[in-house]
């Protein structure tokens, strides 16, 4: 399993290390270039000094050099070298070249008054750097008119670079060690900072371990310290816990209601059987016993079937067979099926059909079940002689069906929000053994599975309207 902390530590270490390496590399290159430039500058200064010692007199060209002031060109283990040419002839050599009689320093054809630098191997085998200059010797102003043209001269100075290389190695090693130490320290600091920064997340995790979904107050919402990144997670977790509490309460209520619904017919069966066992010869009991048992059993079967249908409607695996349906034909079929329960159904239902397209594509069983429940619900919970308005309309979004009926007793806001809860019944209907509070719950779940939009609202004059919208996209 991947670790968020490890990923953060590694990522930050890699990024910071890459930046530091680039910075240290730039510093190292800059220092190397600066040292090389200073070394070449020192070569140039020595060369210019030696050039000033070359003078032209009426007697000829002279080189007034004294080894006392520049002992580095003398005989020593770390000696430097210089050599002068005038034309093709060697004019002067440093004392350090006496041990290398047949060896000349670098000479290169270059323009007058220009210089050339090159890395060379010194006569004694050491690595060095040479500067070649091609210049005109200085002529005193007083003699310039009487002197002829003076032939230019070459001057080559060669100095060992071993000390320079050692300095550069020390600088490079110091930078490398410093870089390594900085990376180690940064990784240590990153680990500490990230672990400390993730403390609120760990505290949230510990709070989650102690959460009891049965509590009314969630401890996640009592922390005094808030963090911008943690707060959205905390809020969503609180919502999830509250939803879980609601589901838990709903499950408890449904379980209690199922037990209540089944307990009544079971108690009736037990009471009826006990009476019949005690008075087997009583003709009044025996004559209706079989019919009473069948009636109670059918009621229990209806409850169980509705519960199974509710469970099936809540499942995503429900099988849907979408096909073209003539809405007028289906509405008339539902009305005829309900006619045996409501003899005045044809006079009470006022159908206002404004649908331009009388067909829709939907699952016939689902749509039939929804309309049956909505019509039955409207007929049962409205005054006996009241008129129920059924409207059919179509637009570019699809087909809309609305059922509006008057209420016998007004519904408060709390009961209105619970109408689609399984086994929820308004108080005035609990005494009826044929109503179990499952119809609207089944309608809502079936509509959701089919992609229909189902809703309801109170309208003026104590009326309630249920609406069902079958989107045009459902046709696909």
């Amino acid at each position: 399993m991947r670790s968020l902390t490890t990923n953060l530590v590694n990522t930050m270490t890699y990024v910071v290390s890459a930046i530091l390496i680039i910075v240290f590399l730039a510093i190292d290159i800059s220092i190397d270039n600066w040292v090389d430039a200073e070394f070449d500058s020192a070569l140039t200064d020595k060369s210019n000094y030696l050039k000033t010692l070359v003078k032209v007199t009426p007697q000829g060209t002279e080189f007034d050099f004294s080894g006392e002031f520049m002992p580095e060109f003398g005989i020593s283990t770390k000696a430097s070298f210089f050599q002068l040419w005038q034309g093709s002839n060697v004019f002067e050599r440093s004392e350090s070249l006496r041990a290398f009689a047949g060896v000349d320093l670098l000479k290169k054809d270059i323009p007058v008054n220009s210089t050339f630098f090159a890395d060379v191997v010194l006569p004694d085998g050491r690595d060095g750097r040479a500067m070649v200059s091609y210049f005109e010797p200085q002529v005193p102003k007083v003699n310039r008119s009487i002197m002829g043209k003076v032939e230019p001269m070459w001057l080559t100075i060669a100095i060992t670079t071993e000390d320079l290389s050692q300095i550069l190695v020390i600088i490079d090693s110091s930078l490398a060690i410093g870089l390594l130490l900085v990376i180690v320290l940064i990784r240590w600091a990153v680990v500490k900072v990230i672990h400390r920064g993730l403390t609120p997340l760990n505290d949230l995790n510990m709070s989650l371990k102690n959460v009891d979904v049965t509590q009314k107050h969630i401890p996640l919402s009592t922390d005094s310290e808030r963090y911008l990144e943690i707060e959205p997670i905390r809020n969503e977790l609180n919502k999830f816990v509250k939803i879980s509490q609601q589901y838990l309460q709903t499950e408890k209520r449904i379980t209690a209601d199922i037990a209540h619904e089944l307990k009544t017919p079971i108690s009736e069966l037990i009471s009826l059987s006990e009476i019949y066992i005690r008075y087997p010869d009583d003709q009044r009991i025996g004559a209706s016993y079989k019919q009473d048992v069948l009636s109670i059993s059918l009621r229990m079967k209806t409850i169980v079937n509705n519960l199974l249908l509710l469970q099936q409607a809540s499942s995503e695996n429900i099988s849907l067979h979408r096909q073209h349906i003539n809405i007028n034909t289906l509405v008339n079929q539902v009305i005829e099926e309900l006619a045996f329960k409501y003899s005045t159904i044809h006079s009470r239902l006022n159908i206002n059909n404004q649908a331009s397209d009388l067909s829709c594509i939907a699952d016939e069983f689902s749509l039939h079940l929804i309309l049956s429940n909505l019509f039955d619900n409207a007929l049962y919970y409205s005054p006996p002689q009241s008129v129920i308005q059924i409207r059919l309309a179509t637009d570019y979004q699809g087909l809309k069906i609305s059922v509006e009926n008057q209420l016998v007793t007004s519904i408060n806001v709390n009961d209105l929000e619970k109408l689609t809860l399984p086994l929820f019944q308004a108080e005035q209907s609990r005494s009826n053994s044929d109503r179990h509070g499952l119809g609207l719950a089944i309608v809502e779940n079936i509509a959701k599975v089919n992609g229909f939009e189902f809703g309801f609202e109170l309208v003026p004059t104590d009326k309630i309207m249920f609406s069902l919208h079958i989107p045009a996209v459902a046709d696909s």
Side-chain angles (χ1 to χ4, degrees):
M1 183 181 296
R2 299 179 63 185
S3 169
L4 184 61
T5 302
T6 303
N7 287 341
L8 285 173
V9 170
N10 290 339
T11 302
M12 292 187 66
T13 302
Y14 296 152
V15 171
V16 174
S17 298
I19 295 174
L20 287 175
I21 289 173
I22 293 173
V23 171
F24 273 70
L25 250 158
I27 293 174
D28 182 58
I29 293 173
S30 300
I31 291 176
D32 289 348
N33 292 337
W34 177 78
V35 171
D36 290 338
E38 289 297 316
F39 189 85
D40 290 346
S41 177
L43 271 176
T44 303
D45 291 342
K46 289 181 181 294
S47 177
N48 291 336
Y49 177 74
L50 292 176
K51 289 176 186 177
T52 61
L53 300 179
V54 179
K55 298 180 180 179
V56 178
T57 65
Q59 291 78 25
T61 303
E62 297 181 354
F63 183 62
D64 189 12
F65 174 77
S66 176
E68 296 178 359
F69 300 104
M70 301 187 76
E72 64 268 23
F73 292 108
I75 298 175
S76 67
T77 56
K78 295 184 178 181
S80 300
F81 305 90
F82 74 82
Q83 187 172 352
L84 272 167
W85 291 268
Q86 191 167 32
S88 59
N89 300 321
V90 176
F91 185 82
E92 186 71 34
R93 288 161 60 94
S94 64
E95 187 179 357
S96 56
L97 284 175
R98 289 182 181 179
F100 309 99
V103 178
D104 290 329
L105 297 181
L106 176 67
K107 182 183 179 184
K108 188 174 182 64
D109 290 332
I110 55 177
V112 178
N113 296 325
S114 62
T115 58
F116 174 77
F117 293 91
D119 293 325
V120 297
V121 177
L122 299 181
D124 56 4
R126 294 175 297 162
D127 292 330
R129 187 166 176 80
M131 174 184 172
V132 181
S133 300
Y134 188 45
F135 66 99
E136 294 180 342
Q138 62 176 348
V139 179
K141 292 182 179 180
V142 295
N143 297 327
R144 189 168 297 175
S145 59
I146 63 174
M147 298 295 297
K149 184 177 180 181
V150 180
E151 188 175 4
M153 302 182 71
W154 278 272
L155 172 63
T156 299
I157 295 180
I159 301 177
T160 181
T161 56
E162 289 183 349
D163 293 340
L164 176 66
S165 298
Q166 291 178 359
I167 293 173
L168 292 177
V169 168
I170 293 173
I171 292 174
D172 292 343
S173 301
S174 302
L175 287 174
I177 294 172
L179 175 62
L180 183 62
L181 290 176
V182 170
I183 291 175
V184 171
L185 289 174
I186 286 178
R187 183 173 179 86
W188 174 82
V190 166
V191 171
K192 293 294 184 182
V193 169
I194 288 179
H195 276 288
R196 182 174 297 178
L198 292 178
T199 299
L201 196 59
N202 295 329
D203 293 341
L204 181 62
N205 185 41
M206 293 302 297
S207 299
L208 283 175
K209 292 180 179 179
N210 299 324
V211 166
D212 183 2
V213 294
T214 61
Q215 294 179 353
K216 292 184 178 179
H217 302 286
I218 310 304
L220 296 178
S221 59
T222 60
D223 294 342
S224 58
E225 194 171 8
R226 302 294 188 186
Y227 294 91
L228 186 62
E229 295 78 11
I230 302 296
E231 198 60 23
I233 300 176
R234 188 194 308 276
N235 293 335
E236 293 302 320
L237 286 173
N238 275 324
K239 291 180 182 178
F240 174 76
V241 173
K242 290 178 181 178
I243 292 173
S244 299
Q245 288 178 337
Q246 293 174 359
Y247 277 126
L248 183 61
Q249 295 298 326
T250 301
E251 291 298 324
K252 288 181 178 180
R253 185 191 61 79
I254 291 176
T255 302
D257 287 345
I258 291 174
H260 173 79
E261 293 293 334
L262 294 177
K263 179 180 178 181
T264 301
I266 291 174
S267 299
E268 292 177 357
L269 283 176
I270 293 174
S271 300
L272 189 62
S273 299
E274 287 178 347
I275 293 174
Y276 186 67
I277 292 172
R278 182 171 296 182
Y279 306 103
D281 299 328
D282 192 327
Q283 296 297 324
R284 294 173 300 175
I285 298 175
S288 61
Y289 176 76
K290 295 179 181 179
Q291 187 63 37
D292 291 340
V293 170
L294 178 61
S295 176
I296 296 172
S297 300
L298 290 175
R299 281 168 49 200
M300 293 179 63
K301 179 183 178 181
T302 301
I303 296 173
V304 173
N305 286 342
N306 284 336
L307 289 172
L308 291 176
L309 183 58
L310 176 64
Q311 178 62 30
Q312 183 183 7
S314 304
S315 174
E316 295 180 355
N317 298 324
I318 185 172
S319 178
L320 300 177
H321 179 61
R322 291 185 172 88
Q323 58 184 342
H324 281 279
I325 299 173
N326 186 292
I327 193 63
N328 279 347
T329 303
L330 184 60
V331 168
N332 292 331
Q333 180 183 347
V334 172
I335 292 174
E336 292 301 326
E337 291 175 357
L338 293 175
F340 79 97
K341 294 175 64 176
Y342 307 98
S343 58
T344 59
I345 186 171
H346 294 286
S347 61
R348 293 185 60 190
L349 295 183
N350 181 19
I351 301 176
N352 182 7
N353 192 346
Q354 298 177 357
S356 58
D357 187 2
L358 298 179
S359 65
C360 64
I361 295 180
D363 179 63
E364 185 175 5
F365 171 78
S366 299
L367 191 54
H368 182 278
L369 182 64
I370 292 173
L371 294 179
S372 297
N373 277 281
L374 291 180
F375 291 179
D376 184 28
N377 185 79
L379 290 165
Y380 184 83
Y381 290 107
S382 60
Q385 303 302 323
S386 62
V387 176
I388 298 167
Q389 298 291 340
I390 299 176
R391 298 182 182 88
L392 305 176
T394 55
D395 54 19
Y396 68 95
Q397 294 181 339
L399 173 66
K400 184 175 181 180
I401 304 172
S402 64
V403 180
E404 181 181 326
N405 65 275
Q406 187 176 353
L407 295 171
V408 177
T409 305
S410 61
I411 300 177
N412 57 45
V413 178
N414 292 332
D415 285 347
L416 183 67
E417 295 175 352
K418 299 176 182 177
L419 281 183
T420 55
L421 293 179
L423 296 171
F424 175 80
Q425 294 174 286
E427 292 298 330
Q428 64 270 19
S429 65
R430 285 193 181 274
S431 58
N432 192 296
S433 59
D434 294 329
R435 316 301 294 188
H436 310 294
L438 293 170
L440 291 179
I442 293 173
V443 168
E444 183 179 54
N445 288 339
I446 287 288
K448 186 180 298 182
V449 171
N450 281 269
F452 303 157
E453 296 179 13
F454 173 70
F456 50 90
E457 60 180 339
L458 290 175
V459 292
T461 65
D462 272 344
K463 291 184 179 181
I464 187 169
M465 183 177 70
F466 295 88
S467 59
L468 179 71
H469 181 255
I470 305 175
V473 292
D475 296 356
S476 61

